[in-house]
Amino acid sequence: MEIKILKEIRRFVATSLGNQHEETGVIYFSEPLVGYASWDDPLFQAYKNSIGEFHLTPREIFAAAFDNQRVAGGTVICWILPISERARQSNRLQEQWPGREWALTRYFGEEFNCELRRHMVEYITGLGHQAVAPTLSDIFQSFSETPVGFASNWSERHAAYAAGLGTFSMNDAFISEAGIAVRMGSVITDLKLLPTLRKEQNYQANCLNCNACISRCPVGAITTNGHDKIKCRTYLFSEESVQLAEKYGGQKTAGCGLCQTRVPCEFKNPRRKTEAS
Ligand code: B12
Ligand code: SF4
Ligand code: SF4
């Protein structure tokens, strides 16, 4: 069943028209990576301490979605959508604002990611189980002022970490085997799948601490002390960003993500040993 779910996610991404921008022909995402975490993984409870009580466990989200039905347990299915070479290339050339294809991927690619979330809920329902996509559910919320700054009550990165898909980095972002230039998603289901083994003990193990992302940030939001979410967010949602999104034919804001391109972790885990070494 683990392979069947993996194949369905990959099939959907490879064959859906939604994974391509009509006007430019840019494909948003290449082949996804998939991982599984058990609801009973103690990490989800631990997140209530490291993030805050407001961060929900898979069991709490499932109970809210299905009227407190009591079920024995289940799985968090997580995926990594690697941003395509063409979209990454458009950002590599930039110093101040994101490239057009990158910005289009941020907006329309995320719409496709939502399509994938809805598709996987339907697919699992078709297998005779129940499923909910946390970030599309009624219970999903973002908070601007928490002890850990701007945060939501379901973090796709923390779920992916639990599902063995990679680690965090010194700039907060998640480095998978396909690198840091990715988008991520998850669904919670009562279908029981074999959890993916977490290889790393340190939650920032995949980061080289090379500081290359520091010099990529146009507003100094990354320092050796980490990532300043307020500086980053202010830039991402600035008036210039809104205007650029309009010029590019995107919507809302253009985003940024310069720290995710032209860096050693852009499209691979920089700590991964090559076969020869
Ligand atoms: C709020 C938000 C933001 C905010 C704040 C970011 C933040 N760090 O919280 C702002 C607006 C600044 C932002 C910026 C960006 N974002 Co954003 N954002 C989100 C959102 C909606 C929620 C994140 C959240 O609530 N996290 C929870 C908080 C608590 O996480 P945290 O502070 O990073 O957690 C730290 C601690 O927990 C710490 N930690 C301490 N001890 C321990 C111990 C253990 C065991 C562990 C595991 C961790 C841990 O590790 C973390 C990193 O330091 C998610 C979507 C989602 N629902 O997940 C997307 C998301 C995180 N963003 C994403 C992206 C792509 C971006 C941008 C590139 C924007 C763009 N496309 O142009 C930039 C990148 C900036 C950066 N360097 O991270 C991607 C992640 C890609 C990646 N490789 O990580 C996500 C997952 C969206 C998606 N669906 O793909 N984002
Ligand atoms: S550029 Fe270097 S320091 Fe920054 S996240 Fe990537 S590996 Fe870590
Ligand atoms: S996404 Fe945020 S942290 Fe990354 S380069 Fe842009 S402003 Fe800096």
Side-chain angles (χ1 to χ4, degrees):
M1 187 54 82
E2 291 78 14
I3 303 285
K4 193 171 166 156
I5 300 282
L6 166 77
K7 281 190 174 162
E8 184 53 24
I9 294 173
R10 289 194 168 162
R11 185 201 64 76
F12 191 79
V13 172
T15 60
S16 296
L17 290 177
N19 189 22
Q20 187 165 25
H21 186 248
E22 236 179 77
E23 184 204 324
T24 59
V26 70
I27 292 186
Y28 307 124
F29 304 115
S30 50
E31 191 172 78
L33 308 177
V34 178
Y36 308 110
S38 161
W39 289 8
D40 297 321
D41 192 314
L43 262 182
F44 290 111
Q45 201 54 43
Y47 291 158
K48 289 213 176 264
N49 294 324
S50 60
I51 301 176
E53 191 55 41
F54 65 88
H55 195 267
L56 302 170
T57 64
R59 204 175 276 281
E60 285 171 327
I61 293 176
F62 193 87
F66 299 106
D67 288 335
N68 282 313
Q69 266 182 43
R70 292 179 67 83
V71 285
T75 308
V76 185
I77 301 174
C78 299
W79 56 82
I80 301 284
L81 297 176
I83 297 178
S84 68
E85 164 75 26
R86 192 169 147 198
R88 286 187 281 109
Q89 181 65 38
S90 79
N91 232 31
R92 263 184 230 151
L93 304 171
Q94 304 297 319
E95 302 288 347
Q96 200 67 33
W97 292 106
R100 184 175 181 213
E101 287 82 357
W102 180 275
L104 293 172
T105 300
R106 177 172 191 262
Y107 187 76
F108 298 112
E110 184 54 29
E111 273 189 352
F112 174 66
N113 194 8
C114 290
E115 236 182 84
L116 173 60
R117 291 179 178 104
R118 282 188 286 272
H119 172 73
M120 288 315 292
V121 167
E122 262 177 42
Y123 180 78
I124 294 164
T125 309
L127 295 176
H129 289 268
Q130 288 178 305
V132 53
T135 60
L136 299 181
S137 71
D138 294 340
I139 204 172
F140 183 69
Q141 261 184 291
S142 292
F143 308 95
S144 53
E145 282 177 35
T146 79
V148 292
F150 197 88
S152 65
N153 58 2
W154 180 255
S155 162
E156 301 283 22
R157 298 200 268 223
H158 285 77
Y161 177 80
L165 284 167
T167 77
F168 286 79
S169 68
M170 62 81 90
N171 75 28
D172 280 357
F174 192 86
I175 306 180
S176 68
E177 287 302 310
I180 202 167
V182 301
R183 295 199 72 87
M184 311 160 70
S186 59
V187 294
I188 295 172
T189 171
D190 56 3
L191 171 64
K192 285 197 174 169
L193 298 168
L194 200 65
T196 309
L197 197 69
R198 275 195 296 278
K199 292 188 209 103
E200 308 299 346
Q201 300 300 318
N202 176 339
Y203 80 97
Q204 292 187 342
N206 290 351
C207 179
L208 295 175
N209 281 306
C210 66
N211 296 345
C213 49
I214 293 183
S215 42
R216 283 292 279 147
C217 180
V219 288
I222 311 172
T223 64
T224 47
N225 294 326
H227 176 228
D228 182 333
K229 291 184 195 181
I230 298 175
K231 263 193 189 167
C232 175
R233 191 163 191 273
T234 306
Y235 191 60
L236 257 59
F237 290 87
S238 62
E239 192 44 40
E240 289 104 307
S241 183
V242 172
Q243 282 173 11
L244 185 65
E246 213 177 296
K247 183 177 145 209
Y248 279 164
Q251 285 175 32
K252 292 187 182 162
T253 80
C256 172
L258 295 190
C259 56
Q260 309 202 323
T261 50
R262 217 197 310 151
V263 288
C265 56
E266 178 184 316
F267 55 86
K268 61 174 196 268
N269 171 2
R271 292 265 184 214
R272 186 179 49 209
K273 293 185 180 61
T274 57
E275 273 169 42
S277 63

